[in-house]
Amino acid sequence: MYVLLYTILAGLAILPLFLYLRNPYFTQDLRYTVTCVLLWLRINRIKRSKPFYSMLDCFLDKVKKHPNKQFIVFEKSSYTYRDVDKQSNKLARALSQHASVKEGDTVALFMGNEPMYVFIWLALAKLGCRAALLNYNIRSKSLLHCFTCCGTNVLLAASELRGAVEEVLPTLREQSVSVFVLGEEEEEKCVTEGVNTLSSSRIQQASDQPLDPQLRSKVTLKSPALYIYTSGTTGLPKAAVITHERLYMASSMQAISGVVSDDVIYIYLPLYHTAGFIMGLTGAIERGSTVVLRRKFSASNFWDDCRKHKVTVIQYIGEIMRYLCNSPKKDNDRHHKVRLALGNGLRADTWSEFLQRFGDIRVCECYGATEGNVGFINYVGKVGAIGKEHFLHKANFSYVLIQYDTEREEPVKDSRGFCIKVPKGETGLLVAKITAQAPFSGYANNQQQTDRKKLRDVFVKGDLYFNSGDLLRIDHEGFVYFMDRIGDTFRWKGENVATTEVTEHLIMVECIEEANVYGVKVPGHEGRVGMAAIKLKDDMEFDSKATLEHVKTSLPSYARPRFIRIQNSLAVTGTFKQIKVKLVEEGFNPSMMQDRLYYLEDSKGYIPMTQEMFHSISDGKIHL
C-alpha cells in the first residue's frame, strides 16, 4: 500500500519535469490556455446576452464599479471614469440638438489624440451612431475619398484642422454633409459658410444625465461600430468595417497579454488606427485601467512620461522601438515601472537591444490586420516570433500557409486546381477560412476590394478564405514568423527576395540608420531588381566600401540591392509603416529625384549613379 502511494507521489513529483522536457513552453501554454478558456466563456456569455453587451456597456459598468478612478491622463488634465461618462452625455445631447445626429448616422472624427476624441466616440455610441476614424494627416483627394466611402452624414473636426476641411468644403456641401468644427465662442463669429462651430459653451450647457438606452435600440452585435482605414501604403486607404462583435473581441488583446485593472497604459499611437483605438483605448476600457494619452510619439519624452505617470504597459508599432534604442543613452534608462510592451512589427535585433538597454520588460508581439479574421500572439516572448500556435486557437480559426508564386503573384495550384499547403519550416501565404466564428466584414462600399481579399475553392469547391497578403513561416515548435508582404517580396534572377531580410542586413552597416527595400522594373529584364532607400546616421557619410563588404558576406548575389538611394528621412504612414509606392514609381532614374543615388558595379562596388548610366542600363548596354 505504502509502496503504491510513494510510487504515485514520486510520479506526480517528476510529472512537471517530464512535461517540461517534452514541451519547454508547458507553463506558458497552460497559462495561455486558462486565459483563453475564461475569455471564451465571457465572450460567449456576452454574445448570448439580451440586449447585446457592447463596449459602451462595458464602459458604463466600469463607471459604476470605480467612478472615481482615473481613466484618462492628458497633459495637465485628468479625468475619472465618471468625468468621462458625464462629458460624453453632454456631447451626445449637444450633437443631437445642434447637429441633428441620430441612431444609424455615420459621423466622421477628424482630430488628433485628445480626451475630446474619447468623449465624442462614447457620445456617438450612446446615440447609436457609427464613427469613421479619419487620419488627421490626409488632405484633399484622400480626405474626400475616406469621408465619402462610408456614407458619412456629419463631419466633426478639430479647430486646428479647419483649413483642411475648407479645402474640400464645396464637395461636402454638394453631398449635403453637415460640417462642425470644435471651437470656442469667439470662433462662432467668424464662421465660413457651410462650417458650423460646436463651441465648448454649447456642450457644457447640455445635461450630463444618462441617456435613454432606447436611443440605440436598433444596434446589434453585427452592426458596424467603427470604420477604421487601412494605412494606404499601396494606394488610397480602404475603410475596414469593425462590427460591435469584432470590437469587443479585438479589445480582449490586453486581457490575453496579462494586462490588469491596476495597470497604467501609455497611448501615443493615433486613435484613428486599430493599434491606438482598439488595442489601446478600448482594451483599457475592457480592463478598467488608466490611460496616459499623448498627442504624438516623442522619443525624447517617452521614458520621462513613463516615470512621471508610473506607466506599467506601453504600446509599440513599426519602427517605434528602434527610435527608442537610437535615442541617446541615459543613466536612468532602466529606472521605470514598465513591465509589459504590447504591439507588432518589432525586429529581432531591435527586440534584443531594447531588452538589454531598458531592462526586464515582457514583450508581447502580436500579429493581425484591421480587417482580418485571424491573428497570433507571442505569449511566450520568443525573440523574433510574431506568435505561437495553440490548439485552442487552431480549433477556433481554420488557417493555413499555402504555396505562393511571387512572380505570377498568385497561389500555386495542384493538378486538381486546389492550393497546396507548405510543410513546417517553409514560407507560405497565410489564408484563413471565413466562417461565422471568424467572419470577414470587408470594406465599406468597396465590393471590388472586398472580393480581392477573398480566395475561393482553396481546398474544396465552394470554400472561402481570407487572403492576408502576408508571407509567414511556422517552425517545428509552432512559433510563427513574419517573412514579407506579397507585394513587397519580389523575384530577381529566378529567386525570391524578401525585403525584410535585406533590410535587417542593411541596418547592420555602421553608417545606416534606416532602410526601406523594394524592387524596381528594369527594361529587358524579367522580375524586379533590388533597390534600397536609406537614411544615414547623424554626422556620418555613406560608406560604400563597408556596405559592399557587408552585403557580399551576408546576402546572395540576387538579393543584394543594385541601387541605393540616400534620403534625409524615410516616408512612413501615421503608424510608422514604411511607404514604398512612390519609391517604386520613381525607380532608379536620377532625373526623378534630388537624392544621391548609387549603383552596384560588379568590379567597383557602389559608385555614384549618373543619367548616362541610367540610359545605358535602360538600353541594355549595361546588363544587370
Side-chain angles (χ1 to χ4, degrees):
M1 180 68 179
Y2 288 111
V3 174
L4 178 61
L5 180 61
Y6 289 146
T7 304
I8 293 172
L9 290 174
L12 290 173
I14 65 170
L15 180 61
L17 177 62
F18 174 75
L19 292 172
Y20 176 80
L21 292 173
R22 283 183 58 89
N23 175 16
Y25 309 106
F26 171 74
T27 304
Q28 294 100 318
D29 286 343
L30 180 61
R31 189 184 301 120
Y32 182 74
T33 301
V34 173
T35 301
C36 286
V37 168
L38 293 175
L39 185 63
W40 181 82
L41 291 172
R42 186 163 78 247
I43 288 177
N44 274 273
R45 187 167 63 250
I46 287 167
K47 286 182 177 181
R48 293 194 302 269
S49 64
K50 302 289 184 182
F52 89 99
Y53 189 83
S54 67
M55 186 51 63
L56 170 61
D57 295 311
C58 180
F59 168 75
L60 294 175
D61 278 352
K62 297 301 187 292
V63 174
K64 293 176 184 176
K65 185 176 180 180
H66 38 227
N68 298 317
K69 181 178 181 177
Q70 277 190 334
F71 175 29
I72 299 174
V73 177
F74 179 75
E75 296 177 351
K76 295 181 180 180
S77 302
S78 175
Y79 302 87
T80 66
Y81 273 83
R82 179 190 283 132
D83 292 336
V84 175
D85 182 39
K86 288 189 173 184
Q87 285 297 319
S88 62
N89 289 340
K90 286 175 176 284
L91 262 160
R93 287 192 167 85
L95 289 172
S96 179
Q97 181 181 348
H98 301 292
S100 300
V101 173
K102 61 187 182 303
E103 183 175 16
D105 284 347
T106 299
V107 179
L109 273 64
F110 190 44
M111 55 198 303
N113 284 13
E114 57 177 294
M116 182 61 77
Y117 201 109
V118 184
F119 303 162
I120 292 175
W121 166 65
L122 287 168
L124 294 175
K126 290 176 178 181
L127 293 172
C129 298
R130 307 160 180 176
L133 312 184
L134 302 184
N135 180 339
Y136 54 75
N137 296 299
I138 58 176
R139 298 292 185 272
S140 189
K141 179 184 175 182
S142 292
L143 177 57
L144 276 176
H145 166 79
C146 290
F147 186 80
T148 56
C149 71
C150 54
T152 309
N153 310 90
V154 179
L155 171 62
L156 291 176
S159 57
E160 64 269 19
L161 294 170
R162 179 187 287 269
V165 173
E166 290 177 351
E167 282 181 21
V168 296
L169 190 57
T171 304
L172 296 179
R173 293 182 68 181
E174 286 176 13
Q175 297 175 0
S176 301
V177 172
S178 299
V179 179
F180 287 84
V181 172
L182 299 166
E184 301 302 328
E185 287 184 66
E186 56 267 22
E187 294 182 55
E188 292 185 350
K189 301 173 184 176
C190 52
V191 173
T192 305
E193 185 179 357
V195 178
N196 306 289
T197 299
L198 187 60
S199 66
S200 300
S201 60
R202 285 187 179 182
I203 296 170
Q204 294 309 316
Q205 286 168 10
S207 169
D208 64 4
Q209 293 304 299
L211 280 81
D212 186 350
Q214 285 300 308
L215 291 172
R216 56 182 188 276
S217 61
K218 296 178 183 177
V219 179
T220 69
L221 198 65
K222 301 294 184 182
S223 298
L226 303 168
Y227 295 107
I228 295 183
Y229 296 82
T230 59
S231 300
T233 53
T234 55
L236 286 172
K238 302 180 287 290
V241 181
I242 309 297
T243 64
H244 284 275
E245 178 183 29
R246 174 67 189 276
L247 177 60
Y248 202 99
M249 291 184 69
S251 300
S252 63
M253 186 61 70
Q254 286 193 28
I256 295 173
S257 305
V259 178
V260 296
S261 179
D262 291 337
D263 277 315
V264 178
I265 184 168
Y266 186 44
I267 299 178
Y268 54 85
L269 297 173
L271 290 176
Y272 62 72
H273 192 265
T274 305
F277 195 92
I278 299 180
M279 289 183 66
L281 176 66
T282 58
I285 290 174
E286 195 277 333
R287 297 281 79 194
S289 52
T290 299
V291 168
V292 175
L293 185 65
R294 186 180 175 89
R295 291 186 189 275
K296 291 182 178 180
F297 168 73
S298 167
S300 59
N301 292 310
F302 188 93
W303 292 109
D304 288 338
D305 279 352
C306 289
R307 282 184 279 269
K308 178 181 178 181
H309 299 293
K310 296 182 172 59
V311 170
T312 57
V313 179
I314 60 174
Q315 276 190 284
Y316 66 87
I317 196 170
E319 299 292 283
I320 289 292
M321 295 295 230
R322 197 169 53 75
Y323 296 158
L324 293 175
C325 288
N326 287 341
S327 62
K329 292 184 177 180
K330 296 181 180 180
D331 293 337
N332 63 347
D333 276 345
R334 286 173 168 249
H335 297 166
H336 55 75
K337 293 184 178 296
V338 176
R339 65 174 187 84
L340 175 66
L342 177 65
N344 58 70
L346 181 56
R347 292 176 180 156
D349 56 336
T350 305
W351 191 329
S352 299
E353 184 181 352
F354 179 83
L355 295 178
Q356 185 176 6
R357 177 173 170 182
F358 298 108
D360 187 20
I361 299 172
R362 179 172 166 251
V363 175
C364 205
E365 173 82 358
C366 309
Y367 166 85
T370 299
E371 70 275 38
N373 67 339
V374 67
F376 298 101
I377 182 167
N378 181 356
Y379 56 87
V380 171
K382 184 168 184 176
V383 174
I386 62 170
K388 186 178 186 297
E389 289 194 304
H390 190 274
F391 72 92
L392 284 178
H393 191 244
K394 294 171 82 171
N396 285 281
F397 301 95
S398 181
Y399 62 87
V400 68
L401 304 187
I402 60 173
Q403 289 184 22
Y404 186 80
D405 188 325
T406 54
E407 191 168 9
R408 295 187 176 185
E409 297 187 337
E410 62 183 25
V412 177
K413 302 289 182 72
D414 62 17
S415 58
R416 301 172 302 160
F418 296 127
C419 295
I420 305 167
K421 295 180 183 180
V422 301
K424 289 273 184 169
E426 293 190 14
T427 299
L429 172 66
L430 172 68
V431 296
K433 194 169 187 178
I434 299 173
T435 64
Q437 181 86 356
F440 168 54
S441 300
Y443 307 107
N445 296 321
N446 196 334
Q447 194 59 48
Q448 182 181 11
Q449 291 292 344
T450 298
D451 289 340
R452 284 182 63 181
K453 296 296 287 185
K454 296 177 181 177
L455 287 178
R456 300 178 187 277
D457 305 329
V458 177
F459 296 114
V460 295
K461 285 288 183 182
D463 65 9
L464 187 63
Y465 279 72
F466 170 75
N467 178 359
S468 72
D470 291 329
L471 297 172
L472 308 182
R473 177 175 63 84
I474 301 175
D475 69 15
H476 292 280
E477 289 185 311
F479 286 101
V480 187
Y481 298 87
F482 178 83
M483 305 308 291
D484 220 341
R485 291 284 298 169
I486 57 174
D488 294 347
T489 291
F490 57 90
R491 198 167 176 83
W492 181 247
K493 302 292 185 182
E495 301 284 351
N496 292 334
V497 179
T499 60
T500 50
E501 180 185 2
V502 179
T503 299
E504 286 172 2
H505 284 293
L506 282 177
I507 60 177
M508 293 174 69
V509 179
E510 178 64 25
C511 65
I512 299 175
E513 182 172 305
E514 297 179 58
N516 188 358
V517 179
Y518 48 99
V520 292
K521 290 280 188 182
V522 181
H525 291 73
E526 292 294 326
R528 291 184 288 161
V529 69
M531 185 167 177
I534 65 171
K535 178 182 181 298
L536 299 173
K537 291 179 180 176
D538 292 342
D539 302 321
M540 294 194 78
E541 288 296 317
F542 177 57
D543 190 335
S544 58
K545 184 178 178 181
T547 304
L548 174 64
E549 289 177 355
H550 186 79
V551 299
K552 283 183 71 174
T553 56
S554 59
L555 292 169
S557 59
Y558 61 83
R560 298 167 193 162
R562 292 306 293 259
F563 304 98
I564 288 183
R565 176 178 179 174
I566 299 176
Q567 297 189 297
N568 293 326
S569 61
L570 301 187
V572 293
T573 67
T575 49
F576 305 96
K577 294 177 183 175
Q578 293 178 334
I579 300 174
K580 302 176 188 281
V581 176
K582 192 170 188 295
L583 294 172
V584 172
E585 290 174 353
E586 293 172 346
F588 59 99
N589 186 348
S591 67
M592 296 285 288
M593 63 193 78
Q594 298 295 316
D595 304 322
R596 284 183 290 160
L597 192 61
Y598 288 82
Y599 164 64
L600 178 55
E601 211 278 337
D602 291 330
S603 59
K604 300 178 182 178
Y606 284 105
I607 59 175
M609 176 84 175
T610 65
Q611 197 66 38
E612 183 181 354
M613 292 166 63
F614 170 77
H615 289 308
S616 296
I617 294 171
S618 299
D619 295 340
K621 295 175 183 176
I622 297 178
H623 192 78
L624 301 183

